[in-house]
Amino acid sequence: QAPAIKLFRMQTVVEVFKTTVPSKKEATTIIEHLQSQLRGARINFDLDDRDRILRLEGKDFSAEKVMLLVKEKGYWCDVLQ
């Protein structure tokens, strides 16, 4: 008899960050960078908000990784409390 295979569903995680990203052009560059590293994540910015919000939804990423990737592009971000 074959062993039972358990399938684990990863929970979808939503993280919201405040950033220093100043414009749509830079936001687009950062989204492309994040998507190249965080496959399958849904990513968007709300630059009209005073905190210049970055929102990610996905199954396999950490806030620390996102902050590092944004920093690589020369901007600051932190988890919105």
Side-chain angles (χ1 to χ4, degrees), residues 14-19 21 24 27-28 30-32 34-35 41-49 51-58 66 70:
V14 176
E15 286 283 3
V16 180
F17 301 85
K18 52 186 172 180
T19 77
V21 177
K24 187 174 181 177
T28 299
I30 290 171
I31 288 171
E32 290 170 354
L34 291 171
Q35 286 176 331
R42 293 176 55 187
I43 305 166
N44 62 61
F45 274 91
D46 178 1
L47 297 178
D48 293 329
D49 186 285
D51 287 323
R52 303 200 176 285
I53 297 297
L54 166 62
R55 182 179 183 276
L56 281 91
E57 181 178 341
V66 173
V70 171

Side-chain angles (χ1 to χ4, degrees), residues 5-81:
I5 298 173
K6 292 185 179 179
L7 298 177
F8 294 97
R9 288 190 176 191
M10 297 179 77
Q11 293 280 59
T12 298
V13 176
V14 176
E15 286 283 3
V16 180
F17 301 85
K18 52 186 172 180
T19 77
T20 58
V21 177
S23 71
K24 187 174 181 177
K25 180 181 177 183
E26 284 86 359
T28 299
T29 299
I30 290 171
I31 288 171
E32 290 170 354
H33 184 54
L34 291 171
Q35 286 176 331
S36 74
Q37 301 295 314
L38 306 172
R39 301 266 181 222
R42 293 176 55 187
I43 305 166
N44 62 61
F45 274 91
D46 178 1
L47 297 178
D48 293 329
D49 186 285
R50 68 183 178 99
D51 287 323
R52 303 200 176 285
I53 297 297
L54 166 62
R55 182 179 183 276
L56 281 91
E57 181 178 341
K59 294 187 186 288
D60 189 24
F61 69 89
S62 69
E64 292 77 16
K65 175 82 171 180
V66 173
M67 291 186 285
L68 179 65
L69 292 169
V70 171
K71 187 176 182 180
E72 286 176 359
K73 292 297 179 184
Y75 299 99
W76 171 89
C77 82
D78 197 10
V79 175
L80 189 63
Q81 300 297 330

